[in-house]
Amino acid sequence: MLACAESCTGGLIAGACTDLAGSSQWFERGFVSYSNTAKTDLLGVPKELLLSQGAVSEPVVRAMAAGALVHSRAQVSLAVTGIAGPSGGSADKPVGTVWFGWCMGEQIRSEMLHFAGDRAAVRQATLRHALAQLATWL
């Protein structure tokens, strides 16, 4: 079973999964944790981690992926957090920066990518990459 924890995609990954007939056989739940408070309340991401690292960071996405497993009945999770734009970027974290996390049991993989394009393009690229990489790990 799969659980997903989404920030910048706002539920697009869960939506893509549940668009498929029969997905109830393998999709357990999705968390849309757009705000820092939601990341803490829904997934158990420590407030201190969010304050020290920022929501768009490797430690936070790893905590999101782990939290999705802890707060679900899934065996596999994926998490995404990023800056889809058009605003919100910085020199260190420009628009298009996305952190990905995948968790299976005790193993967590993470990766950061930069996507070009407008908000919709960044979100769609995030959706595609998250699922494609998950498929390579399973």
Side-chain angles (χ1 to χ4, degrees):
M1 296 295 282
L2 171 67
C4 60
E6 303 179 64
S7 187
C8 62
T9 49
L12 289 176
I13 296 170
C17 290
T18 59
D19 276 348
L20 301 171
S23 58
S24 62
Q25 298 298 311
W26 53 268
F27 187 81
E28 207 273 327
R29 71 181 71 186
F31 300 91
V32 177
S33 54
Y34 206 71
S35 70
N36 285 353
T37 301
K39 288 173 181 64
T40 298
D41 291 351
L42 297 173
L43 301 167
V45 177
K47 290 179 188 178
E48 300 77 23
L49 190 63
L50 288 158
L51 290 172
S52 67
Q53 301 296 313
V56 181
S57 65
E58 183 174 22
V60 168
V61 83
R62 292 173 71 89
M64 290 172 65
L69 282 190
V70 169
H71 297 280
S72 72
R73 294 189 171 122
Q75 295 78 42
V76 177
S77 69
L78 68 85
V80 296
T81 183
I83 305 165
S87 61
S90 67
D92 291 339
K93 298 176 185 178
V95 170
T97 302
V98 180
W99 274 100
F100 297 84
W102 301 270
C103 186
M104 188 180 326
E106 298 294 318
Q107 294 184 329
I108 302 177
R109 291 175 42 199
S110 54
E111 172 181 34
M112 189 265 299
L113 293 176
H114 294 280
F115 296 114
D118 63 10
R119 183 176 181 81
V122 169
R123 288 166 42 111
Q124 286 298 314
T126 300
L127 160 69
R128 286 190 302 273
H129 186 75
L131 293 175
Q133 290 302 305
L134 176 66
T136 67
W137 197 21
L138 296 178

PDB file of all heavy atoms in Angstrom, residues 106-132:
ATOM      1  N   GLU A 106      12.423   0.929   6.778  1.00  0.00           N
ATOM      2  CA  GLU A 106      13.405   1.812   7.411  1.00  0.00           C
ATOM      3  C   GLU A 106      14.244   2.579   6.394  1.00  0.00           C
ATOM      4  O   GLU A 106      15.026   3.443   6.764  1.00  0.00           O
ATOM      5  CB  GLU A 106      14.334   0.995   8.320  1.00  0.00           C
ATOM      6  CG  GLU A 106      13.615   0.300   9.462  1.00  0.00           C
ATOM      7  CD  GLU A 106      13.024   1.271  10.454  1.00  0.00           C
ATOM      8  OE1 GLU A 106      13.692   2.263  10.798  1.00  0.00           O
ATOM      9  OE2 GLU A 106      11.870   1.041  10.877  1.00  0.00           O
ATOM     10  N   GLN A 107      14.090   2.244   5.125  1.00  0.00           N
ATOM     11  CA  GLN A 107      14.895   2.890   4.077  1.00  0.00           C
ATOM     12  C   GLN A 107      14.201   4.139   3.558  1.00  0.00           C
ATOM     13  O   GLN A 107      13.020   4.098   3.199  1.00  0.00           O
ATOM     14  CB  GLN A 107      15.129   1.941   2.913  1.00  0.00           C
ATOM     15  CG  GLN A 107      15.984   0.748   3.241  1.00  0.00           C
ATOM     16  CD  GLN A 107      16.252  -0.083   2.004  1.00  0.00           C
ATOM     17  OE1 GLN A 107      15.437  -0.154   1.099  1.00  0.00           O
ATOM     18  NE2 GLN A 107      17.416  -0.714   1.972  1.00  0.00           N
ATOM     19  N   ILE A 108      14.944   5.226   3.492  1.00  0.00           N
ATOM     20  CA  ILE A 108      14.437   6.472   2.919  1.00  0.00           C
ATOM     21  C   ILE A 108      15.429   6.954   1.876  1.00  0.00           C
ATOM     22  O   ILE A 108      16.627   7.039   2.141  1.00  0.00           O
ATOM     23  CB  ILE A 108      14.241   7.569   3.989  1.00  0.00           C
ATOM     24  CG1 ILE A 108      13.285   7.116   5.076  1.00  0.00           C
ATOM     25  CG2 ILE A 108      13.722   8.845   3.327  1.00  0.00           C
ATOM     26  CD1 ILE A 108      13.111   8.122   6.202  1.00  0.00           C
ATOM     27  N   ARG A 109      14.916   7.240   0.698  1.00  0.00           N
ATOM     28  CA  ARG A 109      15.710   7.858  -0.369  1.00  0.00           C
ATOM     29  C   ARG A 109      15.219   9.285  -0.544  1.00  0.00           C
ATOM     30  O   ARG A 109      14.019   9.548  -0.425  1.00  0.00           O
ATOM     31  CB  ARG A 109      15.528   7.104  -1.678  1.00  0.00           C
ATOM     32  CG  ARG A 109      16.135   5.731  -1.673  1.00  0.00           C
ATOM     33  CD  ARG A 109      15.848   4.945  -2.946  1.00  0.00           C
ATOM     34  NE  ARG A 109      15.953   5.730  -4.145  1.00  0.00           N
ATOM     35  CZ  ARG A 109      15.399   5.382  -5.314  1.00  0.00           C
ATOM     36  NH1 ARG A 109      14.689   4.283  -5.399  1.00  0.00           N
ATOM     37  NH2 ARG A 109      15.549   6.135  -6.366  1.00  0.00           N
ATOM     38  N   SER A 110      16.126  10.183  -0.855  1.00  0.00           N
ATOM     39  CA  SER A 110      15.732  11.563  -1.110  1.00  0.00           C
ATOM     40  C   SER A 110      16.545  12.130  -2.263  1.00  0.00           C
ATOM     41  O   SER A 110      17.633  11.636  -2.567  1.00  0.00           O
ATOM     42  CB  SER A 110      15.899  12.422   0.147  1.00  0.00           C
ATOM     43  OG  SER A 110      17.209  12.325   0.650  1.00  0.00           O
ATOM     44  N   GLU A 111      15.982  13.147  -2.876  1.00  0.00           N
ATOM     45  CA  GLU A 111      16.602  13.743  -4.055  1.00  0.00           C
ATOM     46  C   GLU A 111      16.039  15.141  -4.234  1.00  0.00           C
ATOM     47  O   GLU A 111      14.872  15.396  -3.934  1.00  0.00           O
ATOM     48  CB  GLU A 111      16.273  12.863  -5.266  1.00  0.00           C
ATOM     49  CG  GLU A 111      16.664  13.418  -6.589  1.00  0.00           C
ATOM     50  CD  GLU A 111      16.283  12.499  -7.750  1.00  0.00           C
ATOM     51  OE1 GLU A 111      15.238  11.810  -7.666  1.00  0.00           O
ATOM     52  OE2 GLU A 111      17.016  12.509  -8.736  1.00  0.00           O
ATOM     53  N   MET A 112      16.866  16.040  -4.743  1.00  0.00           N
ATOM     54  CA  MET A 112      16.419  17.400  -5.043  1.00  0.00           C
ATOM     55  C   MET A 112      16.626  17.664  -6.527  1.00  0.00           C
ATOM     56  O   MET A 112      17.662  17.301  -7.095  1.00  0.00           O
ATOM     57  CB  MET A 112      17.225  18.411  -4.218  1.00  0.00           C
ATOM     58  CG  MET A 112      16.701  19.833  -4.304  1.00  0.00           C
ATOM     59  SD  MET A 112      17.529  20.818  -5.560  1.00  0.00           S
ATOM     60  CE  MET A 112      19.198  20.795  -5.006  1.00  0.00           C
ATOM     61  N   LEU A 113      15.614  18.261  -7.145  1.00  0.00           N
ATOM     62  CA  LEU A 113      15.693  18.651  -8.550  1.00  0.00           C
ATOM     63  C   LEU A 113      15.203  20.078  -8.701  1.00  0.00           C
ATOM     64  O   LEU A 113      14.451  20.591  -7.869  1.00  0.00           O
ATOM     65  CB  LEU A 113      14.841  17.721  -9.417  1.00  0.00           C
ATOM     66  CG  LEU A 113      15.294  16.277  -9.544  1.00  0.00           C
ATOM     67  CD1 LEU A 113      14.284  15.479 -10.354  1.00  0.00           C
ATOM     68  CD2 LEU A 113      16.675  16.187 -10.183  1.00  0.00           C
ATOM     69  N   HIS A 114      15.614  20.688  -9.821  1.00  0.00           N
ATOM     70  CA  HIS A 114      15.108  22.010 -10.201  1.00  0.00           C
ATOM     71  C   HIS A 114      14.355  21.844 -11.521  1.00  0.00           C
ATOM     72  O   HIS A 114      14.891  21.277 -12.472  1.00  0.00           O
ATOM     73  CB  HIS A 114      16.256  23.003 -10.402  1.00  0.00           C
ATOM     74  CG  HIS A 114      16.990  23.315  -9.152  1.00  0.00           C
ATOM     75  ND1 HIS A 114      16.532  24.210  -8.221  1.00  0.00           N
ATOM     76  CD2 HIS A 114      18.154  22.842  -8.663  1.00  0.00           C
ATOM     77  CE1 HIS A 114      17.379  24.279  -7.223  1.00  0.00           C
ATOM     78  NE2 HIS A 114      18.375  23.449  -7.463  1.00  0.00           N
ATOM     79  N   PHE A 115      13.121  22.305 -11.553  1.00  0.00           N
ATOM     80  CA  PHE A 115      12.318  22.238 -12.763  1.00  0.00           C
ATOM     81  C   PHE A 115      12.092  23.642 -13.307  1.00  0.00           C
ATOM     82  O   PHE A 115      11.873  24.591 -12.542  1.00  0.00           O
ATOM     83  CB  PHE A 115      10.956  21.588 -12.486  1.00  0.00           C
ATOM     84  CG  PHE A 115      11.056  20.152 -12.042  1.00  0.00           C
ATOM     85  CD1 PHE A 115      10.681  19.774 -10.765  1.00  0.00           C
ATOM     86  CD2 PHE A 115      11.532  19.175 -12.906  1.00  0.00           C
ATOM     87  CE1 PHE A 115      10.765  18.459 -10.348  1.00  0.00           C
ATOM     88  CE2 PHE A 115      11.621  17.847 -12.498  1.00  0.00           C
ATOM     89  CZ  PHE A 115      11.236  17.491 -11.227  1.00  0.00           C
ATOM     90  N   ALA A 116      12.114  23.763 -14.613  1.00  0.00           N
ATOM     91  CA  ALA A 116      11.848  25.033 -15.279  1.00  0.00           C
ATOM     92  C   ALA A 116      10.367  25.137 -15.610  1.00  0.00           C
ATOM     93  O   ALA A 116       9.655  24.133 -15.641  1.00  0.00           O
ATOM     94  CB  ALA A 116      12.677  25.136 -16.552  1.00  0.00           C
ATOM     95  N   GLY A 117       9.926  26.344 -15.845  1.00  0.00           N
ATOM     96  CA  GLY A 117       8.552  26.555 -16.291  1.00  0.00           C
ATOM     97  C   GLY A 117       7.711  27.254 -15.249  1.00  0.00           C
ATOM     98  O   GLY A 117       8.186  27.620 -14.173  1.00  0.00           O
ATOM     99  N   ASP A 118       6.443  27.409 -15.606  1.00  0.00           N
ATOM    100  CA  ASP A 118       5.512  28.083 -14.699  1.00  0.00           C
ATOM    101  C   ASP A 118       5.049  27.118 -13.610  1.00  0.00           C
ATOM    102  O   ASP A 118       5.486  25.965 -13.542  1.00  0.00           O
ATOM    103  CB  ASP A 118       4.328  28.665 -15.472  1.00  0.00           C
ATOM    104  CG  ASP A 118       3.468  27.615 -16.165  1.00  0.00           C
ATOM    105  OD1 ASP A 118       3.644  26.401 -15.929  1.00  0.00           O
ATOM    106  OD2 ASP A 118       2.588  28.017 -16.944  1.00  0.00           O
ATOM    107  N   ARG A 119       4.177  27.606 -12.758  1.00  0.00           N
ATOM    108  CA  ARG A 119       3.689  26.824 -11.612  1.00  0.00           C
ATOM    109  C   ARG A 119       3.129  25.468 -12.038  1.00  0.00           C
ATOM    110  O   ARG A 119       3.459  24.433 -11.447  1.00  0.00           O
ATOM    111  CB  ARG A 119       2.631  27.654 -10.884  1.00  0.00           C
ATOM    112  CG  ARG A 119       2.077  27.008  -9.630  1.00  0.00           C
ATOM    113  CD  ARG A 119       1.098  27.973  -8.928  1.00  0.00           C
ATOM    114  NE  ARG A 119       0.574  27.405  -7.719  1.00  0.00           N
ATOM    115  CZ  ARG A 119       1.197  27.383  -6.550  1.00  0.00           C
ATOM    116  NH1 ARG A 119       2.404  27.915  -6.433  1.00  0.00           N
ATOM    117  NH2 ARG A 119       0.642  26.842  -5.484  1.00  0.00           N
ATOM    118  N   ALA A 120       2.300  25.466 -13.059  1.00  0.00           N
ATOM    119  CA  ALA A 120       1.690  24.222 -13.522  1.00  0.00           C
ATOM    120  C   ALA A 120       2.754  23.247 -14.032  1.00  0.00           C
ATOM    121  O   ALA A 120       2.684  22.042 -13.757  1.00  0.00           O
ATOM    122  CB  ALA A 120       0.658  24.500 -14.611  1.00  0.00           C
ATOM    123  N   ALA A 121       3.760  23.757 -14.743  1.00  0.00           N
ATOM    124  CA  ALA A 121       4.818  22.899 -15.280  1.00  0.00           C
ATOM    125  C   ALA A 121       5.647  22.277 -14.155  1.00  0.00           C
ATOM    126  O   ALA A 121       5.983  21.087 -14.210  1.00  0.00           O
ATOM    127  CB  ALA A 121       5.713  23.697 -16.222  1.00  0.00           C
ATOM    128  N   VAL A 122       5.969  23.070 -13.132  1.00  0.00           N
ATOM    129  CA  VAL A 122       6.748  22.561 -12.000  1.00  0.00           C
ATOM    130  C   VAL A 122       5.954  21.476 -11.274  1.00  0.00           C
ATOM    131  O   VAL A 122       6.488  20.411 -10.942  1.00  0.00           O
ATOM    132  CB  VAL A 122       7.146  23.700 -11.038  1.00  0.00           C
ATOM    133  CG1 VAL A 122       7.723  23.156  -9.732  1.00  0.00           C
ATOM    134  CG2 VAL A 122       8.129  24.646 -11.717  1.00  0.00           C
ATOM    135  N   ARG A 123       4.682  21.717 -11.057  1.00  0.00           N
ATOM    136  CA  ARG A 123       3.855  20.746 -10.342  1.00  0.00           C
ATOM    137  C   ARG A 123       3.700  19.447 -11.146  1.00  0.00           C
ATOM    138  O   ARG A 123       3.756  18.351 -10.589  1.00  0.00           O
ATOM    139  CB  ARG A 123       2.506  21.359  -9.997  1.00  0.00           C
ATOM    140  CG  ARG A 123       2.632  22.396  -8.889  1.00  0.00           C
ATOM    141  CD  ARG A 123       1.416  23.295  -8.716  1.00  0.00           C
ATOM    142  NE  ARG A 123       0.137  22.660  -8.806  1.00  0.00           N
ATOM    143  CZ  ARG A 123      -0.707  22.490  -7.791  1.00  0.00           C
ATOM    144  NH1 ARG A 123      -0.392  22.908  -6.590  1.00  0.00           N
ATOM    145  NH2 ARG A 123      -1.875  21.916  -7.985  1.00  0.00           N
ATOM    146  N   GLN A 124       3.505  19.551 -12.454  1.00  0.00           N
ATOM    147  CA  GLN A 124       3.362  18.350 -13.284  1.00  0.00           C
ATOM    148  C   GLN A 124       4.670  17.580 -13.370  1.00  0.00           C
ATOM    149  O   GLN A 124       4.664  16.341 -13.317  1.00  0.00           O
ATOM    150  CB  GLN A 124       2.862  18.723 -14.690  1.00  0.00           C
ATOM    151  CG  GLN A 124       1.397  19.094 -14.733  1.00  0.00           C
ATOM    152  CD  GLN A 124       0.503  17.936 -14.311  1.00  0.00           C
ATOM    153  OE1 GLN A 124       0.663  16.792 -14.739  1.00  0.00           O
ATOM    154  NE2 GLN A 124      -0.455  18.232 -13.449  1.00  0.00           N
ATOM    155  N   ALA A 125       5.790  18.282 -13.480  1.00  0.00           N
ATOM    156  CA  ALA A 125       7.091  17.611 -13.510  1.00  0.00           C
ATOM    157  C   ALA A 125       7.345  16.894 -12.188  1.00  0.00           C
ATOM    158  O   ALA A 125       7.895  15.786 -12.169  1.00  0.00           O
ATOM    159  CB  ALA A 125       8.196  18.623 -13.806  1.00  0.00           C
ATOM    160  N   THR A 126       6.937  17.510 -11.086  1.00  0.00           N
ATOM    161  CA  THR A 126       7.084  16.900  -9.770  1.00  0.00           C
ATOM    162  C   THR A 126       6.270  15.617  -9.679  1.00  0.00           C
ATOM    163  O   THR A 126       6.762  14.578  -9.219  1.00  0.00           O
ATOM    164  CB  THR A 126       6.669  17.893  -8.671  1.00  0.00           C
ATOM    165  OG1 THR A 126       7.506  19.056  -8.758  1.00  0.00           O
ATOM    166  CG2 THR A 126       6.765  17.276  -7.285  1.00  0.00           C
ATOM    167  N   LEU A 127       5.033  15.668 -10.116  1.00  0.00           N
ATOM    168  CA  LEU A 127       4.156  14.495 -10.137  1.00  0.00           C
ATOM    169  C   LEU A 127       4.797  13.359 -10.924  1.00  0.00           C
ATOM    170  O   LEU A 127       4.908  12.232 -10.433  1.00  0.00           O
ATOM    171  CB  LEU A 127       2.803  14.892 -10.746  1.00  0.00           C
ATOM    172  CG  LEU A 127       1.913  13.790 -11.291  1.00  0.00           C
ATOM    173  CD1 LEU A 127       1.370  12.927 -10.179  1.00  0.00           C
ATOM    174  CD2 LEU A 127       0.784  14.387 -12.109  1.00  0.00           C
ATOM    175  N   ARG A 128       5.225  13.654 -12.138  1.00  0.00           N
ATOM    176  CA  ARG A 128       5.801  12.610 -13.002  1.00  0.00           C
ATOM    177  C   ARG A 128       7.060  12.001 -12.387  1.00  0.00           C
ATOM    178  O   ARG A 128       7.220  10.782 -12.369  1.00  0.00           O
ATOM    179  CB  ARG A 128       6.105  13.184 -14.393  1.00  0.00           C
ATOM    180  CG  ARG A 128       4.862  13.419 -15.233  1.00  0.00           C
ATOM    181  CD  ARG A 128       5.210  13.754 -16.679  1.00  0.00           C
ATOM    182  NE  ARG A 128       6.070  14.924 -16.794  1.00  0.00           N
ATOM    183  CZ  ARG A 128       5.635  16.185 -16.854  1.00  0.00           C
ATOM    184  NH1 ARG A 128       4.353  16.447 -16.813  1.00  0.00           N
ATOM    185  NH2 ARG A 128       6.496  17.177 -16.974  1.00  0.00           N
ATOM    186  N   HIS A 129       7.948  12.846 -11.875  1.00  0.00           N
ATOM    187  CA  HIS A 129       9.203  12.334 -11.328  1.00  0.00           C
ATOM    188  C   HIS A 129       8.970  11.506 -10.062  1.00  0.00           C
ATOM    189  O   HIS A 129       9.592  10.450  -9.892  1.00  0.00           O
ATOM    190  CB  HIS A 129      10.173  13.485 -11.039  1.00  0.00           C
ATOM    191  CG  HIS A 129      11.511  13.014 -10.607  1.00  0.00           C
ATOM    192  ND1 HIS A 129      12.426  12.473 -11.484  1.00  0.00           N
ATOM    193  CD2 HIS A 129      12.079  12.959  -9.378  1.00  0.00           C
ATOM    194  CE1 HIS A 129      13.512  12.118 -10.815  1.00  0.00           C
ATOM    195  NE2 HIS A 129      13.330  12.401  -9.534  1.00  0.00           N
ATOM    196  N   ALA A 130       8.099  11.984  -9.198  1.00  0.00           N
ATOM    197  CA  ALA A 130       7.829  11.252  -7.952  1.00  0.00           C
ATOM    198  C   ALA A 130       7.350   9.844  -8.231  1.00  0.00           C
ATOM    199  O   ALA A 130       7.824   8.875  -7.605  1.00  0.00           O
ATOM    200  CB  ALA A 130       6.801  12.014  -7.114  1.00  0.00           C
ATOM    201  N   LEU A 131       6.421   9.695  -9.153  1.00  0.00           N
ATOM    202  CA  LEU A 131       5.879   8.370  -9.467  1.00  0.00           C
ATOM    203  C   LEU A 131       6.847   7.522 -10.270  1.00  0.00           C
ATOM    204  O   LEU A 131       6.956   6.320 -10.046  1.00  0.00           O
ATOM    205  CB  LEU A 131       4.533   8.512 -10.178  1.00  0.00           C
ATOM    206  CG  LEU A 131       3.411   9.087  -9.315  1.00  0.00           C
ATOM    207  CD1 LEU A 131       2.154   9.302 -10.148  1.00  0.00           C
ATOM    208  CD2 LEU A 131       3.125   8.202  -8.102  1.00  0.00           C
ATOM    209  N   ALA A 132       7.573   8.134 -11.203  1.00  0.00           N
ATOM    210  CA  ALA A 132       8.538   7.377 -12.009  1.00  0.00           C
ATOM    211  C   ALA A 132       9.650   6.794 -11.137  1.00  0.00           C
ATOM    212  O   ALA A 132      10.020   5.629 -11.282  1.00  0.00           O
ATOM    213  CB  ALA A 132       9.129   8.269 -13.094  1.00  0.00           C
TER     214      ALA A 132
END
